[in-house]
Amino acid sequence: MFFLSLPFFGVPFSKAGLNRFTTLDKFDDWLIERKFDPKSNQIFCRASMPKYGSWFDARVRLATEDNELLMPNDLGVSYELSPRLREKLKVALENCRAGLIYTLKN
């Protein structure tokens, strides 16, 4: 009976990742986030460090195309990404974009 009533109560966790970014994984200070757009049937994934900004474009983040490290102009802090962590983030983003089930391969 409980499961039959779920659609009527609009359980918030049932909409996780639909039309908004939700956290999938964390590495050090980095977040891997994903959003699914049901209209276009596309998955969007991103990696960023919320430590330096509240909005995505104000954070240290990886570029979508080539995983290049992007720093906001007004940050005033220098940040280096280790090759090991960069590879972990790259693999996590690839797995995120591969489908709706996210698994991290070691």
Side-chain angles (χ1 to χ4, degrees), residues 27 37 39 50 52 54 64 66 80 84 88 94 97:
F27 299 99
D37 182 5
K39 290 181 183 177
Y52 296 112
S54 58
T64 305
D66 57 3
E80 292 292 323
R84 184 180 151 272
K88 262 185 146 176
E94 288 171 357
R97 294 177 183 125

Side-chain angles (χ1 to χ4, degrees), residues 21 30-33 44-49 56-57 59-72 79 81 86 89-94 97:
F21 281 97
W30 286 82
L31 291 180
I32 303 295
E33 298 172 297
F44 300 94
C45 299
R46 65 186 188 186
S48 68
M49 282 181 58
F56 181 70
D57 61 350
R59 299 177 183 180
V60 175
R61 61 195 188 279
L62 291 181
T64 305
E65 303 81 33
D66 57 3
N67 295 321
E68 176 188 350
L69 187 65
L70 300 175
M71 303 279 291
Y79 179 81
L81 187 60
R86 181 185 297 267
L89 294 171
K90 179 182 172 188
V91 169
L93 286 171
E94 288 171 357
R97 294 177 183 125

Side-chain angles (χ1 to χ4, degrees), residues 24-38:
L24 286 180
D25 215 338
K26 294 181 182 181
F27 299 99
D28 298 339
D29 293 329
W30 286 82
L31 291 180
I32 303 295
E33 298 172 297
R34 173 172 48 201
K35 173 176 83 168
F36 176 72
D37 182 5

